[in-house]
Amino acid sequence: LILVGERINGLFKDVAAAIQNKDPAPIQRLAVAQTEAGAAFLDVNTGPAVDDPAAVMPWLVKIIEEVVDTPLCIDSAKPEAIEAGLKTVTKAKAIINSTTAERDRLEKYLTLAKEYDAYLIALTMNRQGVPKDAADRLALAMEIVVVADEFNYAVADLFIDPLALPVNVGQEHGIEVLETLRQVKTLADPPPRTIIGLSNVSQGCPHRSLLNRTYLAMAMASGLDAAIADVNDHELVKTAVTGRVLLNQEIYSDAFLKAAGPARG
Ligand code: THG
């Protein structure tokens, strides 16, 4: 499972304040902490309070790259902000987060992904919003795969995101997202990869870690390849490693024993 650290996002008050004050230190601390916790990528999102994300994104990329080598997941609904971020990146292949299935946006983001040799996350939503069931999510995933193929974009570099929603407002979506994760693998050979914003499921809910961990285990069993998640939740990272062992994606001995701690029966 590829873990993308979610924490450098202006949705969080401390990050919003650091951006406002042009203070690199809190953001750099989050970059180091998430990297040490095992993040393979760091999500970078200016958040909703920033007027001009295309001006802020290069600053974020620069200060993060000063302290870690971890590749970045450039997260914005504004293509100008994505491009400004990609222009600044000097480390390994980045992820573009994210396009929707809307044709004009998809073509714009695919063009950027090709030009900057980046992975691309595509959400199974369009102008009508998020579909209510797996069949409609899959129809959008198929449209995305077809257009990626037309663009000669490697489908294995494409991550389909079926959009996890908070369980307290979209309870009926949980099982539809799991079904979508399973069926996406039948759309092409090699298939696209899959990703979700895991913490979405618990937004506004009590027992967030428990909800995140339980859904992670179910999503992994449904074929999930990557998650944007709270990597500083040690129980969550332990669940990810344990899931990999139980799904025979990782050898039982070394990583599992290390992650789970001393054996207590
Ligand atoms: N798919 C893709 N990208 C995404 C998402 C997705 N990026 C953003 C988001 N969803 C994933 N990241 C987060 C980050 C924070 C929270 C949830 C998902 C979160 N934040 C606290 C809250 O709203 O309660 C912030 C409050 C605070 O502590 O300050 O829960 O689905 N491709």
Side-chain angles (χ1 to χ4, degrees), residues 142-164:
M142 190 67 224
E143 286 179 27
I144 292 162
V145 166
V146 166
V147 177
D149 203 48
E150 278 171 25
F151 270 65
N152 269 320
Y153 182 75
V155 170
D157 282 354
L158 182 67
F159 288 81
I160 297 292
D161 183 338
L163 273 164

Side-chain angles (χ1 to χ4, degrees), residues 6 11-13 75 97 121 161 197 199-200 203 208 228:
E6 72 182 7
L11 279 175
F12 292 95
K13 286 187 195 73
D75 187 354
N97 187 14
I121 299 175
D161 183 338
S199 301
N200 294 7
Q203 241 174 342
R208 288 198 71 169
I228 303 163

Side-chain angles (χ1 to χ4, degrees), residues 23-168:
D23 178 8
I27 292 161
Q28 290 176 325
R29 277 196 293 273
L30 290 170
V32 171
Q34 293 184 102
T35 298
E36 285 173 352
F41 291 85
L42 302 177
D43 196 56
V44 184
N45 186 318
T46 63
V50 166
D51 300 324
D52 187 4
V56 173
M57 193 64 89
W59 178 74
L60 286 171
V61 170
K62 186 173 146 289
I63 63 165
I64 295 165
E65 287 198 345
E66 275 170 20
V67 293
V68 293
D69 292 326
T70 318
L72 304 180
C73 175
I74 309 290
D75 187 354
S76 178
K78 295 247 163 69
E80 307 79 40
I82 298 281
E83 181 156 25
L86 292 172
K87 273 198 174 121
T88 312
V89 163
T90 67
K91 310 284 181 184
K93 184 159 173 161
I95 303 176
I96 296 176
N97 187 14
S98 51
T99 181
T100 62
E102 290 163 75
R103 184 88 196 201
D104 50 341
R105 179 175 291 274
L106 178 56
E107 290 188 356
K108 206 173 287 171
Y109 277 63
L110 276 167
T111 303
L112 287 173
K114 283 193 66 156
E115 185 176 345
Y116 292 91
D117 184 30
Y119 301 102
L120 177 63
I121 299 175
L123 310 172
T124 60
M125 65 176 289
N126 59 14
R127 245 176 284 269
Q128 279 91 269
V130 180
K132 71 176 207 321
D133 62 16
D136 289 351
R137 281 176 165 87
L138 274 158
L140 293 179
M142 190 67 224
E143 286 179 27
I144 292 162
V145 166
V146 166
V147 177
D149 203 48
E150 278 171 25
F151 270 65
N152 269 320
Y153 182 75
V155 170
D157 282 354
L158 182 67
F159 288 81
I160 297 292
D161 183 338
L163 273 164
L165 297 176
V167 65
N168 60 348

